[in-house]
Amino acid sequence: MEKILERKDVNPKDTWNLELIYPSTDLFYKDLETIRQALPGFASFKGELVSASKIAELFKKEEEVGRMISRAFTYASNRSNEDVGNQANQALLQEVRKLYSQFSELTSFEEPEILSLSSEKLQEIKESPELGEYKFHFEKLIAMKEHILSGDKEEAYASLGEVRNAPQSAYSVLTNSEFRFPDVMDGEGKMLPLTQGTYGTYIKSPDRILRKNAFTALHETYGSYGNTLGTLLTASMEDWNVQARVRKYEKPFEMNLKRNNIPYSVFTNSLDTINSHLDLLHRYVDIKKKALKLDEIHFYDLYADLTGKEDKKYTFEEGVEMALGGLKAMGEEYLGIFRKGIEDRWIDRYENKGKRSGAYSSGAYETQPYILLNYKGTLGDVSTLVHEMGHSMHSYYTRNFQPYIYGHYSIFLAEVASTCNEQLLIHHLIENTEDKKLKLYLISQELEKIRTTVYRQLMFAEFENITHNALSEGKPMTSKEYCDIYLELNRRYFGEGIVPDDEIKWEWSRIPHFYTDFYVYQYATGYAAASSFARMILNEGEEAAKRYIERFLKAGSSKYPVDVLKDAGVDMTTPKPLEDTLKTFGELLGEFEKELGL
């Protein structure tokens, strides 16, 4: 595990089995050729989508080609990530992306053409038995009728994609390639290089001088480009607002919710609930201040570790056993599939030279799930294993129990299964350790996860809501307005117990998610739903676990996401799921204070 190998030298048992998709690249290219030959056939449907039989025929052809593209993409993207320096594998991915782009372009006429039909005709087609399993898919399409433009306008709008993405692209180039941060001094007087990457390490350091200097230098650098960054963010948000108006949405946020039929109350309940429980966050800040033995606590102290790093290492096999122990409440069927995933080589386990960093779960409808890890044996790596297996188990159940058209799940649901797994694991470890240091570490990690995934992300969402609504009302938005709004939000969320460092007002400018409008709230809702599921499984046992598997993991996108969750026992239109999470936060705070003797 410590020696980093060339890809060719990695033991096959430690890698994923992509040969199950294509035993050779010749077969991969054979599929690509089949796709190329199929693509021109979509032109024959243009102007003909006036009957249930013709629409069903198109859906089936799209599915046939979509399955092949998805399979080829899974193979090529995973191959390319085995060694990002392998140009042959990068070429595989480029080939698939090119074909996918052509596929999207050649089928772009579909929605506008279908929705140009009268409402009466659409209802008649929807009830036709010829649509079969596509009925709900068609129903979702009809629901978007008033927001779809005419065919030529949709085509023109799509052609502006690169132009419309210019603010985000410019932001990425500026902040990732052109920013130059000053070196920063640590507590011993040593100068250290500050980068986007090293900042994450420095801000968690026990060296408070280093934390402060890194925090100040980073935010001041962003602030020195404040006018440019404010202009870019406004341009990005204006694009979203213009699109919302053109597509006849009342509020900017509605455009994010409508396609998946998510009630606006899901968003507003989240903001109302978090704002009514800010006292818990204020209490956490006070506990952190006492634990760090500080006279006053600043924003650069929030990420400081309270317990010392957990340095014990676990082999991959030990990590799997810990995972199985943590997930015991899920039942034998779930555990059996989990074990099968290990045995059938779903997972590419260890780092090798050139391998993509981080972790993810992937796969296509016709393939087994695939997981990329860079396992080094830390407790965090065990948690990542459980997290990614949560995604893969969700995919496994969905693809095995839903037809292709519903064999996926929306972003709104994507993090629920993975986070539920993590919460079951952390609960198991906390309950079953006698090691006080380890217990403190585990509790502190979970507290930080709730602070950053729930409180922080909903603060971001509130910032988005305020700024987008201001723009839609015609108010000018510059970096000054953004700074004023963001500083006030931080003061309210973190309370009077923290020193409101002026530099924090620039933090909005380093959040790339603001260029993917109204995305961040889903981190919090996903965590809240997972928290409710975990609590039910732990309290009710087998019955709750079975309901979770049958009604959530197997549901895919056969219903709207809020309905899937409601069927499984979590109603996101009410405050309860988030309140469950915040109840857990309060309980962990009490346990943490007790363990620390505060």
Side-chain angles (χ1 to χ4, degrees):
M1 287 171 57
E2 293 188 2
K3 183 180 179 182
I4 300 177
L5 303 174
E6 298 283 349
R7 182 68 189 185
K8 63 182 176 60
D9 297 323
V10 177
N11 190 325
K13 78 175 181 64
D14 296 329
T15 67
W16 45 30
N17 191 358
L18 297 181
E19 287 73 20
L20 287 178
I21 308 177
Y22 296 112
S24 71
T25 53
D26 288 344
L27 293 173
F28 167 82
Y29 280 111
K30 185 178 178 181
D31 252 12
L32 294 197
E33 185 56 33
T34 303
I35 295 167
R36 284 191 191 93
Q37 292 177 9
L39 289 178
F42 286 105
S44 66
F45 290 92
K46 200 167 185 179
E48 301 294 323
L49 300 179
V50 293
S51 67
S53 59
K54 203 65 179 178
I55 291 170
E57 186 183 342
L58 173 59
F59 286 169
K60 287 171 184 173
K61 184 173 178 62
E62 278 185 311
E63 176 176 327
E64 178 187 337
V65 176
R67 282 177 183 242
M68 285 191 288
I69 292 177
S70 181
R71 183 170 64 236
F73 180 81
T74 296
Y75 179 82
S77 62
N78 286 337
R79 277 282 184 243
S80 72
N81 288 329
E82 291 175 351
D83 181 355
V84 296
N86 185 315
Q87 294 305 303
N89 286 344
Q90 299 307 314
L92 300 181
L93 185 56
Q94 289 174 17
E95 291 271 6
V96 182
R97 282 178 170 162
K98 196 181 302 179
L99 282 178
Y100 180 74
S101 179
Q102 292 172 18
F103 174 63
S104 299
E105 184 178 342
L106 289 168
T107 56
S108 63
F109 67 90
E110 178 188 314
E111 286 192 4
E113 186 168 318
I114 291 174
L115 295 178
S116 68
L117 300 173
S118 69
S119 297
E120 293 75 18
K121 184 65 174 176
L122 289 171
Q123 288 301 319
E124 175 191 322
I125 292 172
K126 189 187 85 168
E127 298 305 322
S128 169
E130 291 172 280
L131 277 185
E133 65 189 19
Y134 295 104
K135 181 177 179 180
F136 178 59
H137 174 67
F138 193 76
E139 184 181 307
K140 290 196 293 182
L141 189 59
I142 292 175
M144 299 302 295
K145 179 175 172 63
E146 65 179 305
H147 305 296
I148 300 295
L149 308 177
S150 63
D152 57 340
K153 289 180 180 178
E154 285 288 357
E155 190 174 339
Y157 206 77
S159 71
L160 294 172
E162 287 191 32
V163 175
R164 293 174 51 236
N165 286 331
Q168 183 177 14
S169 298
Y171 173 83
S172 179
V173 170
L174 178 64
T175 58
N176 290 311
S177 300
E178 297 184 358
F179 268 23
R180 295 293 178 267
F181 298 102
D183 290 345
V184 292
M185 183 181 295
D186 68 9
E188 296 178 352
K190 183 179 178 181
M191 300 302 294
L192 299 174
L194 178 63
T195 66
Q196 302 278 16
T198 60
Y199 179 76
T201 301
Y202 298 162
I203 202 65
K204 296 176 184 178
S205 171
D207 183 341
R208 195 177 189 216
I209 293 174
L210 177 59
R211 293 201 305 267
K212 178 181 179 180
N213 290 340
F215 174 86
T216 302
L218 184 93
H219 288 90
E220 284 183 347
T221 301
Y222 274 89
S224 68
Y225 290 86
N227 290 334
T228 299
L229 293 170
T231 301
L232 290 174
L233 183 58
T234 297
S236 179
M237 291 197 300
E238 281 284 21
D239 172 69
W240 184 271
N241 275 267
V242 168
Q243 188 180 173
R245 286 197 300 273
V246 168
R247 294 189 181 280
K248 302 176 183 176
Y249 291 99
E250 290 184 13
K251 288 179 175 289
F253 193 79
E254 187 187 358
M255 191 165 66
N256 176 280
L257 300 172
K258 184 67 180 284
R259 186 167 287 274
N260 283 311
N261 198 34
I262 298 169
Y264 189 53
S265 61
V266 171
F267 180 68
T268 56
N269 279 342
S270 297
L271 294 187
D272 291 344
T273 303
I274 205 70
N275 274 282
S276 66
H277 290 79
L278 292 180
D279 58 313
L280 289 174
L281 184 58
H282 301 168
R283 180 180 164 199
Y284 178 54
V285 170
D286 185 56
I287 290 172
K288 198 142 200 176
K289 177 182 173 182
K290 291 176 183 176
L292 291 170
K293 297 180 172 58
L294 300 175
D295 292 330
E296 58 182 28
I297 187 168
H298 292 251
F299 280 99
Y300 52 78
D301 296 315
L302 287 175
Y303 291 90
D305 182 51
L306 298 179
T307 63
K309 291 188 181 297
E310 169 58 32
D311 54 7
K312 185 176 179 181
K313 295 294 178 72
Y314 307 88
T315 67
F316 184 80
E317 292 72 21
E318 288 172 334
V320 169
E321 290 306 310
M322 290 170 67
L324 291 169
L327 299 174
K328 188 176 180 181
M330 289 298 299
E332 278 306 314
E333 177 192 274
Y334 188 94
L335 297 181
I337 298 170
F338 191 111
R339 292 188 188 97
K340 176 179 168 61
I342 304 298
E343 295 165 4
D344 289 353
R345 292 172 54 200
W346 290 5
I347 303 174
D348 204 81
R349 302 179 182 182
Y350 306 123
E351 182 182 5
N352 60 253
K353 290 181 180 177
K355 184 177 176 181
R356 177 189 146 151
S357 62
Y360 65 74
S361 169
S362 70
Y365 185 78
E366 295 173 328
T367 75
Q368 66 180 28
Y370 289 100
I371 295 173
L372 179 140
L373 295 180
N374 283 276
Y375 189 88
K376 292 181 173 63
T378 67
L379 197 58
D381 289 330
V382 177
S383 184
T384 299
L385 165 65
V386 166
H387 180 100
E388 299 304 337
M389 279 297 280
H391 284 306
S392 286
M393 294 293 287
H394 193 181
S395 298
Y396 177 90
Y397 276 112
T398 292
R399 293 167 188 158
N400 277 276
F401 289 90
Q402 292 295 331
Y404 175 82
I405 192 66
Y406 309 124
H408 62 282
Y409 39 85
S410 72
I411 293 295
F412 190 79
L413 300 180
E415 293 300 325
V416 175
S418 54
T419 304
C420 182
N421 268 14
E422 280 192 278
Q423 292 193 25
L424 292 173
L425 173 67
I426 200 80
H427 174 85
H428 171 76
L429 294 176
I430 290 173
E431 289 294 307
N432 290 279
T433 183
E434 299 296 327
D435 183 333
K436 183 175 180 178
K437 180 184 174 185
L438 176 59
K439 190 171 186 177
L440 277 170
Y441 174 79
L442 292 167
I443 295 172
S444 70
Q445 292 301 298
E446 192 62 12
L447 287 169
E448 270 297 278
K449 194 162 289 185
I450 295 173
R451 179 183 77 81
T452 56
T453 308
V454 179
Y455 278 102
R456 191 167 187 254
Q457 298 298 332
L458 286 177
M459 186 181 76
F460 288 169
E462 191 165 351
F463 174 81
E464 283 188 298
N465 201 40
I466 293 169
T467 53
H468 273 276
N469 285 338
L471 276 171
S472 69
E473 293 165 7
K475 297 177 183 176
M477 296 299 294
T478 67
S479 61
K480 180 184 183 305
E481 282 72 34
Y482 294 139
C483 286
D484 290 346
I485 293 166
Y486 198 81
L487 185 59
E488 176 55 33
L489 282 171
N490 273 275
R491 284 173 170 160
R492 175 152 53 84
Y493 270 71
F494 290 95
E496 296 180 359
I498 196 168
V499 177
D501 305 290
D502 190 60
E503 294 87 355
I504 197 66
K505 71 184 181 185
W506 291 109
E507 190 179 45
W508 62 266
S509 66
R510 44 178 299 256
I511 310 301
H513 291 82
F514 289 154
Y515 291 82
T516 308
D517 305 79
F518 298 111
Y519 180 90
V520 292
Y521 86 99
Q522 295 172 109
Y523 285 115
T525 56
Y527 193 99
S531 182
S532 286
F533 279 131
R535 186 178 283 267
M536 284 190 287
I537 291 166
L538 291 169
N539 291 342
E540 300 172 29
E542 185 179 342
E543 183 179 338
K546 184 177 179 181
R547 183 174 64 242
Y548 171 75
I549 292 170
E550 293 295 323
R551 299 185 185 178
F552 175 68
L553 295 184
K554 292 182 179 181
S557 57
S558 60
K559 297 181 179 181
Y560 285 117
V562 168
D563 294 332
V564 169
L565 290 171
K566 189 179 292 186
D567 282 353
V570 174
D571 187 353
M572 292 304 297
T573 64
T574 73
K576 187 177 186 304
L578 187 52
E579 286 175 346
D580 281 350
T581 297
L582 300 175
K583 182 178 180 181
T584 298
F585 189 64
E587 290 168 353
L588 289 170
L589 282 174
E591 195 166 353
F592 198 59
E593 281 183 303
K594 180 181 175 183
E595 292 292 331
L596 284 171
L598 297 177

